[in-house]
Amino acid sequence: MKFKTSLLLLVCYVMSITAFAQTTAPAPKKLEAKRSILPIKIDGVIDEEAWKGAPAALGYTEFRPTPFRSEDPTTRTEVYMLYNDEGIYLGGYCHEKTKDSISTELSGRDGFGNNDFIGFIFDTYNDKINGFEYFITPLGEQMDAKMAPNPNGNSEDFSWNAVWQSAAKIHEDGWSFEMFIPFSAIRFSKKSVQDWGMNITRRRQKTGQQNAWNPVDPNVNGFLTQEGYWTGLQDIKPPLRLQFSPYFSTYVNHYPGGNGQKTWTSSVNGGMDVKYGISQALTLDMTLIPDFGQVKSDPTVLNLTPFEVKYNENRSFFTEGTELFNKGNLFYSRRVGGSPIHYWDAFGQVGANEKIISNPTETKLMNATKVSGRLQNGLGVGVFNAVTKPTYAIIEDENKSQRKFQTSPLTDYSIIVLDQTMKHNSSVSLVNTNVWRSGGDYDANVTAALFDLNDKTNTWNVGGKVGTSNLFNYGPDHKTQTGFTHNIYFGKTSGRFSFNISQTLANEKYQINDIGYFNFNNYLDHYAYAGYAWTKPGKWYNQMRLNFNASYSRRLKPSVYQNASFNVNMNGQLKNLWWTGFLIGYEPAGNDYYEPHADGRFFRGWKSTFVDGWVETNNAKKYKLYTEFLYVTRSMFNSKKYQVNMMHRYRFNDKFTLSYSIYLEPQQDNTGFATFNGNNIIFGRRDVHTVENTFGIKYNFNKKMGIRTDIRHYWSEVVYKQFYNLEQNGSLTPSNFNGNVNQNYNAFNLDAVYTWQFAPGSFINIVWKNYNLPGPDQSTKLRYFKNLGNTLDQTHDNNLSLKVIYFLDYLQLKGHKGNKEKK
């Protein structure tokens, strides 16, 4: 009873100080929309007659580093806005005391780099959750993004790219800009009179300042929740949105190592991406005969964990405009076109005097389609579908007779998402994913319902998820396996003090890995976070945050303790625009049910203490340094782990930048799974040394043409000192196993990419890839540079490709044809 009373008093206290600290936000700013019929040439100079009568968005307020400070009149921002039947015109002048105060760098599309910028954020449905962003730099480079909700406010998807016009010009006392955003590059309702949520933000990189037209409080949850309004847009009609991006590509490949392939191969490919506006709200995206051969190489690593390595998605179709499909974290797009489900089974099909001459590691994507958008009532709709071809391994006998073994059947991947936005930045969602395989292989289906609710003051937040998974025709008995999961969270998201508590559960049959990413199930996790922010600059800092995190995990069936973790960290920005922080943490000893690589077995682990610290220098300077040091001490065998991460970057000028990073991770007397020896699970005490070096070279000729080269060498060495048997009670006892399971892993890759945007939305890309295929190597007495030399001496696969993408807009084609007929 005393505990309940104390808890109630604590809750009342927190709510009372929150109410006391809450200040009434000023009324949102409003700017009247004005239609113009006068012509405007997008050249970066606002000297057309139309601008003279345009409404002006003036009076900007700083939100970094000093919230609510009015901008200096000598560095003021002037913005003018107009619209017509085709789209939105934006122009303005960003004043500076001198030309040298302007920060510029040619960084490429969506690369903010070391640039000043001005950006426009439109909440066209006025739901304070979803928005469109358009930015321009003093050198005229473009960035754009879609904003979508998450429990911590709004997230930005910069993989979304629209086609719009912009230009900028630098003057002695500032820089001017002009932008034209066609209505085909934004979504909005069909109302005859519309009011859009809007804000305008400007960054001055050298001073670390960021200002907004409508004031933004960094202690308030969300950016769109603090927007102003662009009012009175009349009779704007959504245009027909039909766009084509046909492509042509050709490849030349050199495989000097053989690996069952011809030494030289070549190919010529063609296909098309189509974007069609089914309605103003919904857009159909389709890729026909896709070609992803130019995507960036994966940073492969030596994986000593029992879990799959999760790589980033680099295929543009699967990254652009996919915010709806990421609801509930049920979609891992690398599954589509990923490894065949029977890849490893092929090796068990090899008979006497036979060998595998071909066993593709990826399935071939035939086509992919997605429909997404948000209706006028706030309902977001997303439908995704992709089909991959059957995949076969080729097995050959000594007489050159070949046979096929199917490693993956014809497979269909689909997702359906319904996301309803509500008042106060809240939403409810329903997500369904499905994987259908032809033939006798199993199918998979996952369904989840989500909710995220905020109170009317945008201070308190509660949300959660309930989901089920079904595997049909699964296992040797070909039965249906049904799993369950839930997540619930509650927290305070606005104000200097914030917190969050959550619980997540997944039973032993819950599984989403056919189209999602999921490491393990059968757990009950609890998590707590509390943080305090100093957002008003002090004597030696601009902002500072103190955070506490704690987690506690149990096995669900049987109900046993797994692990726990606690840490305190502090980070912030100093007056000289450096960032710094530290972390101190502790993990008590736990029971690891995954490291043994066998169901039902567990390993009694260690307790550990860790300390981490990092420093990042001023990004506006030519030279930038990021350095981080982590130290971990473990109770078992007095193990030590060190981690050093250091990144250097030097900008010679606006066009040319070099970067170099090194990652070191030496571990002494680490303990982990080594191998199986009959019925025994063998663990080992081992030293693990990892070194990764990465070089980056960037040269941009102008805002539409550039070349970038990334070179990476990764080395990891594992040397076992002593072996142990894992006992049924999770302890280790000495083993007489004496096999050699040491590992020496080297990976090298070079990606050189030349890009030229020769017309809006149209590109020529030339890509050279050079890489080695890491194989088994147990020679562990080599030094780093000897490993590097051996890696460079190996035969490397090479790939040279040319790809031309041409953007075609139906309305532009129709207008061009009409103009010719008039002549």
Side-chain angles (χ1 to χ4, degrees):
M1 184 65 182
K2 291 182 178 180
F3 173 76
K4 292 182 178 180
T5 302
S6 300
L7 182 61
L8 179 62
L9 290 173
L10 177 62
V11 172
C12 292
Y13 172 72
V14 171
M15 296 183 72
S16 65
I17 62 173
T18 300
F20 179 77
Q22 189 75 30
T23 58
T24 302
K29 286 186 174 183
K30 294 182 180 181
L31 183 70
E32 181 182 357
K34 181 178 180 180
R35 182 185 292 270
S36 176
I37 58 173
L38 297 176
I40 295 177
K41 180 182 178 182
I42 304 299
D43 58 6
V45 181
I46 52 173
D47 56 357
E48 288 85 358
E49 188 69 23
W51 293 121
K52 295 180 180 180
L58 307 173
Y60 289 70
T61 304
E62 190 174 318
F63 64 92
R64 293 193 189 109
T66 307
F68 309 117
R69 182 170 63 181
S70 298
E71 65 179 351
D72 189 324
T74 60
T75 57
R76 67 191 181 277
T77 308
E78 299 173 5
V79 169
Y80 306 94
M81 302 179 63
L82 295 166
Y83 74 99
N84 61 15
D85 290 339
E86 283 73 43
I88 306 164
Y89 286 91
L90 309 168
Y93 204 102
C94 298
H95 291 267
E96 290 289 352
K97 294 180 181 179
T98 66
K99 184 178 180 179
D100 293 337
S101 299
I102 304 170
S103 184
T104 59
E105 179 188 8
L106 287 168
S107 53
R109 178 68 183 260
D110 290 333
F112 283 86
N114 189 54
N115 280 297
D116 289 355
F117 66 73
I118 192 161
F120 295 80
I121 300 92
F122 295 107
D123 175 9
T124 56
Y125 291 97
N126 215 349
D127 60 11
K128 304 190 184 303
I129 298 179
N130 300 277
F132 300 87
E133 299 182 321
Y134 307 87
F135 300 86
I136 185 173
T137 73
L139 296 178
E141 289 189 312
Q142 297 180 350
M143 296 86 76
D144 48 19
K146 287 180 75 174
M147 298 188 77
N150 67 34
N152 298 314
N154 300 99
S155 61
E156 297 170 298
D157 176 15
F158 280 96
S159 64
W160 177 81
N161 288 319
V163 178
W164 46 285
Q165 300 176 46
S166 65
K169 186 174 182 179
I170 296 177
H171 308 272
E172 291 299 324
D173 62 345
W175 58 283
S176 59
F177 67 91
E178 288 181 310
M179 303 160 64
F180 173 67
I181 303 171
F183 286 136
S184 60
I186 197 168
R187 307 291 174 265
F188 52 91
S189 72
K190 292 184 177 181
K191 294 179 180 178
S192 58
V193 179
Q194 301 184 34
D195 295 341
W196 291 1
M198 182 191 72
N199 213 340
I200 307 167
T201 179
R202 176 188 173 190
R203 182 174 79 174
R204 301 180 65 237
Q205 177 72 349
K206 290 184 178 180
T207 63
Q209 290 175 299
Q210 193 159 350
N211 301 335
W213 172 63
N214 197 71
V216 172
D217 185 347
N219 290 321
V220 172
N221 177 37
F223 190 86
L224 293 181
T225 58
Q226 305 181 70
E227 63 194 10
Y229 296 99
W230 194 28
T231 63
L233 288 92
Q234 297 185 19
D235 300 323
I236 54 174
K237 298 179 180 180
L240 173 64
R241 292 182 290 114
L242 179 58
Q243 300 164 347
F244 306 92
S245 295
Y247 81 86
F248 162 82
S249 65
T250 181
Y251 292 81
V252 177
N253 308 295
H254 184 218
Y255 305 112
N259 298 316
Q261 304 177 78
K262 294 180 180 179
T263 302
W264 287 93
T265 65
S266 62
S267 64
V268 177
N269 311 288
M272 181 183 295
D273 290 345
V274 179
K275 189 184 292 286
Y276 172 62
I278 300 173
S279 67
Q280 174 52 21
L282 299 177
T283 301
L284 167 71
D285 289 277
M286 178 178 292
T287 180
L288 306 172
I289 320 177
D291 173 19
F292 300 121
Q294 290 192 332
V295 299
K296 187 176 181 180
S297 302
D298 288 327
T300 57
V301 297
L302 175 62
N303 184 15
L304 296 177
T305 76
F307 309 120
E308 169 191 12
V309 177
K310 185 177 183 181
Y311 291 110
N312 292 331
E313 177 61 86
N314 295 314
R315 299 172 295 179
S316 58
F317 181 85
F318 294 97
T319 60
E320 182 179 337
T322 57
E323 68 282 353
L324 277 173
F325 303 109
N326 293 325
K327 287 278 185 179
N329 295 320
L330 300 179
F331 182 38
Y332 177 42
S333 57
R334 293 292 294 259
R335 298 288 183 225
V336 181
S339 179
I341 60 171
H342 297 301
Y343 173 82
W344 295 107
D345 295 344
F347 297 95
Q349 298 294 315
V350 179
N353 303 317
E354 287 186 326
K355 63 180 181 180
I356 294 178
I357 64 169
S358 175
N359 190 12
T361 58
E362 297 178 346
T363 55
K364 183 70 174 179
L365 182 65
M366 296 172 61
N367 60 69
T369 304
K370 58 190 178 189
V371 176
S372 61
R374 192 165 296 275
L375 305 181
Q376 188 168 320
N377 61 0
L379 177 64
V381 178
V383 179
F384 170 90
N385 185 263
V387 179
T388 57
K389 293 181 178 180
T391 306
Y392 298 90
I394 308 298
I395 302 173
E396 184 179 81
D397 64 18
E398 58 186 356
N399 298 318
K400 303 297 183 180
S401 177
Q402 297 181 354
R403 61 186 178 91
K404 291 182 177 181
F405 173 76
Q406 188 179 80
T407 56
S408 182
L410 178 74
T411 306
D412 180 272
Y413 301 85
S414 64
I415 306 173
I416 298 175
V417 182
L418 299 174
D419 175 57
Q420 179 64 60
T421 59
M422 302 183 299
K423 292 181 178 180
H424 314 311
N425 196 25
S426 301
S427 65
V428 293
S429 309
L430 180 68
V431 184
N432 178 266
T433 69
N434 191 79
V435 178
W436 172 86
R437 299 181 175 95
S438 64
D441 284 301
Y442 76 94
D443 303 323
N445 184 277
V446 179
T447 302
L450 303 87
F451 67 98
D452 185 72
L453 308 175
N454 296 281
D455 72 325
K456 64 181 180 180
T457 65
N458 195 30
T459 301
W460 301 94
N461 171 256
V462 62
K465 177 176 73 174
V466 177
T468 62
S469 66
N470 288 280
L471 304 180
F472 304 104
N473 194 33
Y474 185 72
D477 298 329
H478 302 286
K479 294 183 177 180
T480 297
Q481 176 179 299
T482 300
F484 170 80
T485 186
H486 82 241
N487 167 254
I488 185 75
Y489 55 86
F490 169 74
K492 179 176 178 289
T493 54
S494 291
R496 297 180 65 176
F497 171 73
S498 60
F499 72 89
N500 182 273
I501 54 176
S502 67
Q503 180 194 82
T504 304
L505 175 150
N507 72 0
E508 73 279 6
K509 294 183 179 180
Y510 183 69
Q511 205 269 83
I512 65 170
N513 270 335
D514 292 275
I515 197 171
Y517 181 86
F518 196 66
N519 278 332
F520 49 82
N521 52 23
N522 194 22
Y523 65 86
L524 176 63
D525 288 353
H526 294 85
Y527 171 77
Y529 153 83
Y532 192 84
W534 291 265
T535 55
K536 184 178 180 180
K539 291 183 179 180
W540 52 273
Y541 63 86
N542 286 329
Q543 59 171 284
M544 196 65 61
R545 297 179 186 275
L546 176 66
N547 306 298
F548 171 78
N549 297 277
S551 65
Y552 178 81
S553 177
R554 295 188 65 85
R555 190 83 164 167
L556 187 63
K557 187 179 180 180
S559 179
V560 293
Y561 164 73
Q562 288 194 127
N563 57 69
S565 178
F566 311 90
N567 74 72
V568 176
N569 65 83
M570 193 169 190
N571 61 83
Q573 186 187 55
L574 308 181
K575 285 291 187 179
N576 59 0
L577 303 186
W578 287 29
W579 292 88
T580 186
F582 71 89
L583 179 147
I584 300 174
Y586 173 74
E587 294 178 351
N591 299 310
D592 192 333
Y593 283 83
Y594 313 106
E595 186 65 23
H597 292 63
D599 291 339
R601 300 295 298 275
F602 70 97
F603 162 58
R604 288 186 179 177
W606 52 74
K607 59 183 178 181
S608 62
T609 304
F610 46 95
V611 179
D612 189 17
W614 62 93
V615 173
E616 178 180 336
T617 64
N618 186 350
N619 188 52
K621 303 294 185 180
K622 286 184 175 293
Y623 173 72
K624 172 187 173 181
L625 169 69
Y626 172 84
T627 183
E628 181 177 2
F629 177 78
L630 170 69
Y631 171 73
V632 182
T633 178
R634 299 164 176 149
S635 59
M636 182 170 287
F637 303 123
N638 195 29
S639 173
K640 309 290 183 184
K641 174 181 176 180
Y642 306 88
Q643 192 178 96
V644 178
N645 191 2
M646 187 174 295
M647 189 279 291
H648 306 266
R649 185 222 63 202
Y650 189 82
R651 290 185 297 105
F652 290 86
N653 50 46
D654 290 346
K655 298 181 177 181
F656 183 41
T657 300
L658 289 179
S659 62
Y660 166 68
S661 64
I662 182 170
Y663 174 83
L664 306 173
E665 188 183 271
Q667 297 189 61
Q668 302 172 0
D669 297 311
N670 171 259
T671 306
F673 173 84
T675 188
F676 291 99
N677 184 26
N679 294 325
N680 292 323
I681 300 174
I682 305 300
F683 270 54
R685 181 166 61 90
R686 61 204 182 188
D687 287 346
V688 182
H689 296 94
T690 300
V691 180
E692 181 181 37
N693 282 285
T694 305
F695 291 89
I697 306 169
K698 177 188 74 73
Y699 189 88
N700 283 44
F701 301 94
N702 52 52
K703 67 179 182 179
K704 295 183 178 181
M705 183 188 301
I707 186 169
R708 176 165 185 99
T709 301
D710 292 294
I711 306 170
R712 172 183 180 265
H713 175 244
Y714 170 92
W715 170 59
S716 190
E717 178 190 68
V718 184
V719 179
Y720 284 88
K721 298 178 176 180
Q722 189 173 352
F723 295 103
Y724 303 87
N725 292 322
L726 178 66
E727 302 298 334
Q728 292 293 332
N729 64 358
S731 63
L732 301 178
T733 57
S735 171
N736 58 7
F737 174 79
N738 60 0
N740 184 2
V741 292
N742 294 338
Q743 298 191 61
N744 188 43
Y745 184 95
N746 285 271
F748 176 88
N749 58 271
L750 181 153
D751 291 69
V753 181
Y754 166 82
T755 298
W756 174 29
Q757 181 180 348
F758 61 91
S762 302
F763 298 86
I764 292 178
N765 299 321
I766 301 175
V767 177
W768 172 43
K769 295 184 180 183
N770 176 289
Y771 54 93
N772 76 319
L773 299 175
D777 185 358
Q778 296 175 326
S779 53
T780 57
K781 295 184 179 181
L782 303 178
R783 298 287 185 177
Y784 172 78
F785 287 103
K786 183 64 175 177
N787 273 281
L788 175 60
N790 290 346
T791 302
L792 295 177
D793 289 340
Q794 292 175 359
T795 55
H796 286 212
D797 292 346
N798 284 272
N799 172 287
L800 181 65
S801 61
L802 165 69
K803 188 173 185 179
V804 181
I805 306 170
Y806 195 79
F807 174 79
L808 299 170
D809 187 285
Y810 170 79
L811 292 179
Q812 292 179 357
L813 291 174
K814 184 179 178 182
H816 179 69
K817 181 179 179 181
N819 290 335
K820 291 182 66 176
E821 290 176 350
K822 290 177 182 179
K823 293 180 181 180

